[in-house]
Each structure stands twice: as structure tokens, then as C-alpha cells.
């Protein structure tokens, strides 16, 4: 019987003429290193990085995979050794082929390239962070940093990988394949460069009640629901920054914030809104003003328009409300606003959307 190389498992010799010893030597000559790391964020979406004595750059928790060890078990071991925390990681985010050329390792290291796995360490609260016990001989300090700060703190390849893994976690499309930190098949969040600039930071209290009399409304934003329970988000193509439809009231709006957001949604995104529902407002402790929030149904979007305020066409995407929150830094008040959003969604008879990949609306669409 003739053996076809295509029918063989990776552990079998590639031809019937090659001995096991020869085949093993061939595979060993092409061997690469294996590494693992863990992406951990706090409740604000900031990324945990480590300061180590042997590198000038910050690192994610992780390290080399030992002989006979799986990448997942290595990730669990490294978190235990470096942070003193028992963590059961089961969800992968990224697998990166790190080439020898990209690393620039000294010749004497004979670095052959590396397959580096990134696992999801989850969102940690104060109790989990308080349990950290650093490996004194290796880890000097840990901190949580804004995703946009990673390129300034990490090596270029590590920063690309960490941001790609974080986008993969938000997107929910599964493990992303990388080559030197760059996605082989980039999604819309990668293409636009979401998280490469600082997220909008609004740590303002949320009040699910009318705006007090005499308080000036500075801003009106809307959670515009498609029939599947996802909402419209606008991504700035030049920076990757996210915003909800809406904007600043103008005189032509007649003092009605709901009119403002309907007008702004049409101008910014060619989006037609209906069934507008008031959610509440944010108060700014440093300025006596209100930033109002609404929900509405999204009836249709036209061709992407050029926003008169920026001169650019936003990238329009649909994302679940939970994914939207991860694109901003709204602090503790985000939970209250999200609850109000889901109450309004239910009143509008719109289903709750399960997490799914973020979808771009590149052309006209009607529901």
C-alpha cells in the first residue's frame, strides 16, 4: 500500500522512506519556542502590566511554556508564580507567530521564532487585586494602564499583540491569528485602530431622572437600537475613538435635546431614529451642566455621510450595549446607565443581544 503524505498525522514520517529518527531530526531542526501570556483588565477596562527587572518594557503576566506543558497550563502556572493568584484560564484570545526578524534577538541567543498564546484572565475587581502577592525575585510592580498607553510602555510587538487580544475579547469572534502582533484577518476594530487613542473618559454620576430646572444641557447622546438588540456606534477613522450618535445642542434645535440627537444622528451617520425614550443625565461636578442620554429605535441608515463638524465619514458599527461600554472609560456610573439602557430596550420590545462580532454598516440599510 502506498502512503500519501496528506493522509499522515503530524507525528508520522512525511515519506515512507524516512526513518523515525530522520523525521524527528527534521522536525527538531524547524522547532520554535512556545510562550504564553494572560490579558487581565480592571473594571474600567485598563490592562494589567508588570514591571520586571530584566526588561526595560512592561509585560503581560506570562512566560515560557515548559517541556511537556500545554500553553493553557503554563498560563495558569505563570500567574500563580508571578502574581500569587490561582486563576483558571480557559478562553484563548490570540495566537501570535513571532518571527526571529521581528524580535531582533542577539545572535548568540539563536532565537528561532515563537508561537505565543494570549489567554483571557478576565475582569478583576478590588478583591482579586488585593490578593496579588508579587514574585519578589522577578516582578517589581504591577499597574493597570489605559490601553492607548500600551505602545509607550511595552515593546512594539508586545503592544500590538496585547491590543489585538483586547479587541478580540471585545469583538467576541473567537481566537485571532496574528503574525508579529498583526491580525492575519483584521476585523473592523483592528482596521479602524480602536483603543489606540485614549477612550472618552466621563466619570460623571448618572441620574435616571429629568434634568433639574435651570441646568444647561451641553450634550445629547443616543443608544440607537437595531431590531437585533445591538446599538449604533460611530468610530472616528483617524483615531479609532468611539462615540454614540448625538452631539451639542444648537439654536435651531429649539432647546429640545431630543431634536438635537435626531439631527446629529442624521448628519453624522445618515441614521433615522424613532421612538425616542429619555434615560437620564450625567452631571459634571466641575461645571453646572447636564449631558443627557436617550434610547431610540434605528429605522434606517443611508450612505456614510461626511460629518460637517469633522470633515470625515465615521465608520458605523453595530455592537451590543456591553461591548459599547468597553469602548469607553465611564467609571462606576457606567453600570447605572447600562441598567437604564436595558430598561428602555425592554420597553421598546427589543430583544437583548447576545455577544457577537461587531458589524460594520458600510452602506444603506433599513429595518
Amino acid at each position: 500500500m502506498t502512503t500519501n503524505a496528506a493522509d499522515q498525522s503530524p507525528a508520522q514520517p512525511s515519506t515512507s522512506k524516512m526513518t523515525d529518527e530522520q523525521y524527528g531530526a527534521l522536525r527538531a531542526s524547524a522547532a520554535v519556542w512556545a510562550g504564553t501570556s494572560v490579558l487581565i483588565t480592571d473594571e474600567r477596562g485598563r490592562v494589567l502590566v508588570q514591571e520586571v527587572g530584566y526588561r526595560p518594557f512592561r509585560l503581560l503576566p506570562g512566560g515560557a511554556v515548559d517541556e511537556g506543558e500545554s500553553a493553557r497550563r503554563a498560563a495558569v502556572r505563570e500567574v500563580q508564580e508571578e502574581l500569587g493568584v490561582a486563576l483558571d484560564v480557559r478562553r484563548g484570545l490570540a495566537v501570535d507567530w513571532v518571527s526571529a526578524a521581528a524580535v531582533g534577538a542577539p545572535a548568540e541567543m539563536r532565537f528561532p521564532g515563537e508561537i505565543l498564546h494570549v489567554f483571557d484572565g478576565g475582569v478583576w475587581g478590588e478583591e482579586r487585586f488585593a490578593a496579588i502577592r508579587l514574585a519578589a525575585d522577578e516582578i517589581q510592580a504591577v499597574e493597570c494602564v489605559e490601553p492607548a498607553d500600551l505602545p509607550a510602555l511595552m515593546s512594539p510587538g508586545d503592544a500590538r499583540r496585547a491590543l489585538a487580544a483586547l479587541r478580540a475579547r471585545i469583538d467576541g469572534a473567537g481566537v485571532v491569528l496574528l503574525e508579529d502582533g498583526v491580525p492575519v484577518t483584521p476585523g473592523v476594530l483592528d482596521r479602524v485602530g480602536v483603543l489606540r487613542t485614549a477612550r472618552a473618559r466621563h466619570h460623571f454620576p448618572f441620574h435616571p431622572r429629568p434634568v433639574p430646572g435651570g441646568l444647561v444641557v451641553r450634550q445629547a447622546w443616543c443608544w440607537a437600537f437595531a431590531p437585533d438588540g445591538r446599538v449604533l456606534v460611530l468610530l472616528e477613522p483617524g483615531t479609532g475613538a468611539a462615540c454614540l450618535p448625538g452631539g451639542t445642542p444648537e439654536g435651531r434645535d429649539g432647546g429640545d435635546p431630543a431634536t438635537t440627537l435626531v439631527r446629529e444622528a442624521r448628519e453624522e451617520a445618515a441614521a433615522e431614529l424613532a421612538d425616542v425614550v429619555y434615560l437620564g443625565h450625567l452631571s459634571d461636578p466641575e461645571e453646572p451642566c447636564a449631558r443627557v442620554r436617550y434610547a431610540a429605535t434605528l429605522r434606517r441608515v443611508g450612505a456614510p455621510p461626511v460629518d460637517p463638524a469633522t470633515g470625515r465619514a465615521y465608520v458605523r458599527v453595530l455592537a451590543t450595549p456591553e461591548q459599547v461600554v468597553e469602548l469607553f472609560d465611564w467609571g462606576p456610573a457606567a453600570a447605572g446607565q447600562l441598567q437604564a439602557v436595558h430598561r428602555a430596550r425592554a420597553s421598546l420590545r427589543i430583544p437583548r443581544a447576545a455577544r457577537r462580532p461587531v458589524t460594520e454598516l458600510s452602506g444603506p440599510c433599513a429595518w
Side-chain angles (χ1 to χ4, degrees), residues 147-238:
D149 292 336
L150 293 176
L153 297 171
M154 308 179 81
S155 71
D158 286 353
R160 289 194 298 270
R161 184 184 315 111
L163 285 172
L166 185 55
R167 293 181 189 124
R169 180 209 268 183
I170 295 172
D171 195 50
V175 177
V176 61
L177 298 180
L178 311 175
E179 293 183 357
D180 292 329
V182 179
V184 174
T185 306
V188 63
L189 300 184
D190 297 303
R191 287 192 288 101
V192 180
V194 166
L195 304 177
R196 62 191 167 95
T197 54
R199 299 170 298 164
R201 187 180 188 275
H202 292 159
H203 285 208
F204 305 138
F206 176 73
H207 311 281
R209 56 179 180 270
V211 176
L215 198 61
V216 177
V217 174
R218 292 278 189 230
Q219 181 192 69
W221 276 7
C222 182
W223 296 75
F225 281 97
D228 67 0
R230 294 185 292 172
V231 295
L232 178 65
V233 185
L234 309 181
L235 303 178
E236 167 60 53

Side-chain angles (χ1 to χ4, degrees), residues 265-327:
R266 186 177 296 121
E267 292 177 353
E268 294 175 335
E272 298 295 333
L273 306 180
D275 308 317
V276 177
V277 177
Y278 178 77
L279 301 179
H281 70 280
L282 305 175
S283 59
D284 188 340
E286 298 182 0
E287 180 185 1
C289 71
R291 304 171 190 272
V292 295
R293 299 291 182 261
Y294 291 86
T297 56
L298 185 61
R299 292 297 175 86
R300 66 177 300 274
V301 294
V306 174
D307 179 23
T310 65
R312 295 177 177 175
Y314 283 106
V315 176
R316 306 169 303 177
V317 300
L318 291 179
T320 69
E322 287 71 24
Q323 288 170 317
V324 171
V325 171
E326 295 178 67
L327 299 176

Side-chain angles (χ1 to χ4, degrees), residues 36-103:
T36 189
S37 61
V38 181
L39 180 79
I40 297 165
T41 59
D42 66 8
E43 293 173 331
R44 285 176 50 188
R46 298 179 301 177
V47 179
L48 183 147
V49 294
Q50 301 178 153
E51 180 181 351
V52 298
Y54 55 88
R55 292 277 182 88
F57 301 110
R58 303 292 194 271
L59 301 171
L60 296 181
V65 176
D66 289 343
E67 183 177 357
E69 184 179 42
S70 73
R72 185 187 71 83
R73 292 186 182 278
V76 172
R77 173 181 54 76
E78 289 286 350
V79 171
Q80 178 69 62
E81 292 176 356
E82 295 178 345
L83 303 181
V85 175
L87 186 66
D88 185 17
V89 296
R90 293 186 174 274
R91 180 187 177 200
L93 294 176
V95 176
D96 191 9
W97 159 242
V98 183
S99 68
V103 171

